[in-house]
C-alpha cells in the first residue's frame, strides 16, 4: 500500500471512525501525495518551491494526476499550496479505492434521523492487515534506535504533522515518542535532498491544517 492508503487506515479505528479531525485527515492526504512523489523521485522541493522531475506515468491515477498538475502549473508553488490543493476529493478517492479492494466498507447512516454520518469499518469485521502492519512498523521505529527505511520515515512525518502519533502511540511515554520522531526526522536514512523535501512537506501539512482550522473557527 502507498502512504495515502496507510495514512487513511491509521486515521480511522476498527469501527471506521476518524481518530483525528477531518481537516487533519484531508491535509495529511494532501501531504501524502507530495511525499509519494518525493519518494518516487518525481518532484523536488527547491528553495521552498515544488518542482516536477518529469511527467511520465507512475502507474497510480492519483499520483499521475498530481504530478501532471504540478508539471503543468506555470508558477513554482510552495508545498503548503499544493497540500491545500490536494485536499479536495483525495480522501473520497482513497476510501473508494480501499472499498473496491475489499479492505474497508463505506457505511452511511444518520444520527437522530437527521444528521448524515459516514464511517469506514473493516470490510470483513476484522482488523485490516495493512493497518496492523503499518502500526507495527511505526511502533518498531519509535521503540527502536538508529535510521529507518525512507517510506517509514515519511509515514512518521505524516502522523507527526497531523498529531496522529498521539493516538497511535498513546501507550508510550510522550517524551520518548517526540524525541524518537525528532531523531527519525533528522536521521541519516536517505539522501539529504529527500530528507529536506519530506521535512518541508511535513511543515506544510502542519501549517495548512492550522490555517484551515483557524479559518473555520473565525467563520463559525
Amino acid at each position: 500500500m502507498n502512504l495515502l492508503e496507510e495514512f487513511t487506515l491509521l486515521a480511522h479505528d476498527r469501527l471506521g471512525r476518524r481518530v483525528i479531525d477531518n481537516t487533519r485527515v484531508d491535509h495529511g492526504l494532501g501531504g501524502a501525495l507530495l511525499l509519494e512523489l518525493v519518494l518516487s523521485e518525481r518532484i523536488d522541493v527547491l528553495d521552498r518551491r515544488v518542482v516536477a522531475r518529469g511527467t511520465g506515468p507512475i502507474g497510480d491515477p492519483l499520483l499521475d494526476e498530481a504530478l501532471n498538475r504540478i508539471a503543468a502549473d506555470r508558477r513554482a508553488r510552495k508545498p503548503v499550496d499544493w497540500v491545500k490543493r490536494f485536499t479536495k476529493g483525495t480522501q473520497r478517492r482513497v476510501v473508494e479505492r480501499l472499498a473496491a479492494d475489499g479492505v474497508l466498507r463505506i457505511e452511511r447512516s444518520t444520527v437522530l434521523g437527521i444528521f448524515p454520518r459516514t464511517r469506514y469499518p473493516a470490510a470483513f469485521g476484522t482488523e485490516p492487515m495493512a493497518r496492523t502492519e503499518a502500526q507495527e512498523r511505526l511502533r518498531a521505529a519509535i521503540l527502536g534506535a538508529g535510521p529507518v527505511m525512507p517510506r517509514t520515515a515519511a509515514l512518521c512525518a505524516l502522523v507527526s504533522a497531523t498529531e496522529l502519533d498521539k493516538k497511535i502511540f498513546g501507550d508510550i511515554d510522550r517524551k520518548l515518542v517526540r524525541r524518537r520522531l525528532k531523531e527519525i526526522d533528522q536521521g541519516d536514512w536517505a539522501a539529504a535532498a529527500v530528507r529536506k523535501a519530506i521535512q518541508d512537506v511535513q511543515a506544510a501539512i502542519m501549517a495548512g491544517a492550522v490555517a484551515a482550522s483557524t479559518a473555520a473557527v473565525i467563520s463559525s
Side-chain angles (χ1 to χ4, degrees), residues 55-128:
T55 57
I58 299 170
D60 181 295
L62 274 171
L63 297 181
D64 287 336
E65 288 177 23
L67 178 60
N68 289 336
R69 285 180 64 182
I70 293 170
D73 200 297
R74 295 182 179 181
R75 293 179 56 187
R77 300 183 186 274
K78 297 179 180 180
V80 69
D81 296 325
W82 285 114
V83 167
K84 182 179 179 180
R85 282 167 169 73
F86 292 150
T87 59
K88 299 176 181 178
T90 301
Q91 183 176 171
R92 174 185 56 78
R93 293 180 66 180
V94 174
V95 168
E96 288 176 350
R97 178 188 295 184
L98 289 169
D101 289 342
V103 179
L104 300 178
R105 289 185 293 110
I106 300 175
E107 185 179 273
R108 295 184 173 89
S109 60
T110 58
V111 179
L112 301 176
I114 301 174
F115 305 104
R117 179 176 66 185
T118 303
R119 291 181 175 177
Y120 310 114
F124 300 105
T126 58
E127 184 71 5

Side-chain angles (χ1 to χ4, degrees), residues 184-203:
I184 293 171
D185 179 57
Q186 299 175 349
D188 187 20
W189 44 264
V194 173
R195 294 201 312 274
K196 181 62 169 62
I198 289 177
Q199 290 166 357
D200 286 344
V201 174
Q202 181 183 31

Side-chain angles (χ1 to χ4, degrees), residues 12-35:
H12 294 83
D13 65 14
R14 185 174 297 185
L15 297 177
R17 301 170 300 191
R18 286 191 303 271
V19 298
I20 55 176
D21 65 77
N22 198 51
T23 296
R24 284 187 170 83
V25 175
D26 282 340
H27 283 77
L29 287 170
L33 269 174
L34 288 181
L35 291 180

Side-chain angles (χ1 to χ4, degrees), residues 12 20 37 47 51 57 78 112 116 122 148 151 175 192 213:
H12 294 83
I20 55 176
L37 293 175
D47 296 325
V51 180
K78 297 179 180 180
L112 301 176
V148 299
R151 183 163 292 277
K175 290 183 179 179
S213 296

Side-chain angles (χ1 to χ4, degrees), residues 37-52:
L37 293 175
V38 169
L39 293 175
S40 300
E41 299 183 347
R42 304 309 297 271
I43 62 170
D44 287 322
V45 181
L46 304 175
D47 296 325
R48 300 189 181 279
R49 295 292 191 274
V50 178
V51 180

